[in-house]
Amino acid sequence: MMNRHFLHPATLFFLLTLVVALLSWVGSIYGWSGVQSLLSAEGLRWQLRNVGDGFFSAPFFSDILLLAFGVGLCMHSGFWEAVRRVIFHGRKLSRKEKRSLLLSLTVGAVYILAVLCLALGPWGIVRSITGGLKNSPLSEGVSYLLSLGLGIMAIIYGYSIDLYRTDRDIIKGMSYSFVRFSGYCVTLFFVIQLFTSLHYTGLDSFFGLSSEGFTILYTLCSILPLFVGGNKLK
């Protein structure tokens, strides 16, 4: 539970965006080099054009969405809870749970071997034009492959312990993490508004923030809200 005396991350990033808007206005008045006001007609037009595109182009946003399917199934099916009980708590599982966990882990191992064969085998189906893994279809689709592997193991576990009976149960599992990480999406929206506004106004360059530093800071602030702000799967 978060301390009530601290601001929610979404509120914090919203307030920082207001600070950026105010500083850009002051900078435009006093002629700061390369700074343009967000509180202007052109600034308003820019916000209206870019508010949607900026949200969907956030760092790792598409990867997080893909991973949410597999993670949600792991949590909803009880697969992760069974693994956690064995590894971290040393608790015993029932005979059905043990059999289901062993089956799902076996299938998971076969899946990993199949991916490795695609990556390292002689076919080169998922490798780049040069034959390497860098910038290859495999490296670009790694989040999908990871989510798919987790999902397959979770579905097998769910069916084995008789939790999953129809396709509706699987769909419910795939959406499980979206419900619990809804607060993250709200926070991410305000993170994006802060950094896109910072870049548009030119304040990042004015204060000496390099493009590499901007990208690193933007990425960190886009990912960290996943672990704070009450985003917990129960």
Side-chain angles (χ1 to χ4, degrees):
M1 183 176 180
M2 290 191 67
N3 193 318
R4 294 178 182 271
H5 297 292
F6 290 94
L7 292 174
H8 190 282
T11 305
L12 177 61
F13 285 111
F14 170 70
L15 293 176
L16 288 174
T17 304
L18 294 182
V19 171
V20 167
L22 180 60
L23 284 176
S24 70
W25 176 69
V26 172
S28 66
I29 293 176
Y30 287 95
W32 292 356
S33 177
V35 175
Q36 55 184 339
S37 176
L38 195 63
L39 303 177
S40 63
E42 182 58 34
L44 176 60
R45 287 193 289 269
W46 172 83
Q47 291 181 67
L48 293 175
R49 290 192 184 108
N50 293 276
V51 65
D53 293 338
F55 186 71
F56 291 107
S57 62
F60 301 109
F61 183 62
S62 59
D63 296 309
I64 291 171
L65 287 179
L66 286 173
L67 286 171
F69 293 121
V71 171
L73 282 166
C74 285
M75 297 295 179
H76 183 261
S77 66
F79 173 76
W80 168 242
E81 178 62 23
V83 173
R84 191 174 66 88
R85 284 165 59 188
V86 172
I87 297 177
F88 299 107
H89 298 284
R91 298 177 184 175
K92 292 184 178 180
L93 303 176
S94 66
R95 181 176 297 179
K96 176 178 282 190
E97 288 174 332
K98 287 181 181 179
R99 185 173 63 249
S100 301
L101 184 59
L102 180 60
L103 176 61
S104 59
L105 290 176
T106 301
V107 172
V110 173
Y111 177 81
I112 292 174
L113 289 175
V115 173
L116 289 175
C117 286
L118 284 175
L120 305 176
W123 310 283
I125 300 175
V126 294
R127 292 200 291 267
S128 64
I129 298 176
T130 60
L133 295 178
K134 186 177 181 180
N135 298 323
S136 66
L138 180 65
S139 63
E140 293 176 358
V142 66
S143 56
Y144 168 73
L145 290 174
L146 180 58
S147 183
L148 180 61
L150 291 173
I152 290 173
M153 289 191 293
I155 290 172
I156 290 175
Y157 182 84
Y159 271 112
S160 298
I161 62 172
D162 297 326
L163 177 67
Y164 290 167
R165 298 179 182 275
T166 67
D167 59 327
R168 293 180 181 273
D169 298 324
I170 297 175
I171 300 302
K172 186 176 180 180
M174 293 177 70
S175 63
Y176 185 80
S177 61
F178 286 102
V179 176
R180 283 146 185 82
F181 282 114
S182 56
Y184 166 74
C185 292
V186 175
T187 303
L188 181 63
F189 173 79
F190 289 108
V191 170
I192 294 164
Q193 301 316 304
L194 170 62
F195 281 91
T196 54
S197 298
L198 190 64
H199 186 64
Y200 169 79
T201 59
L203 286 171
D204 54 343
S205 299
F206 179 78
F207 287 115
L209 184 62
S210 65
S211 58
E212 294 80 6
F214 180 88
T215 301
I216 292 172
L217 190 60
Y218 187 12
T219 302
L220 286 175
C221 289
S222 297
I223 295 176
L224 284 177
L226 276 171
F227 309 100
V228 297
N231 293 309
K232 295 182 180 180
L233 286 171
K234 297 181 180 179

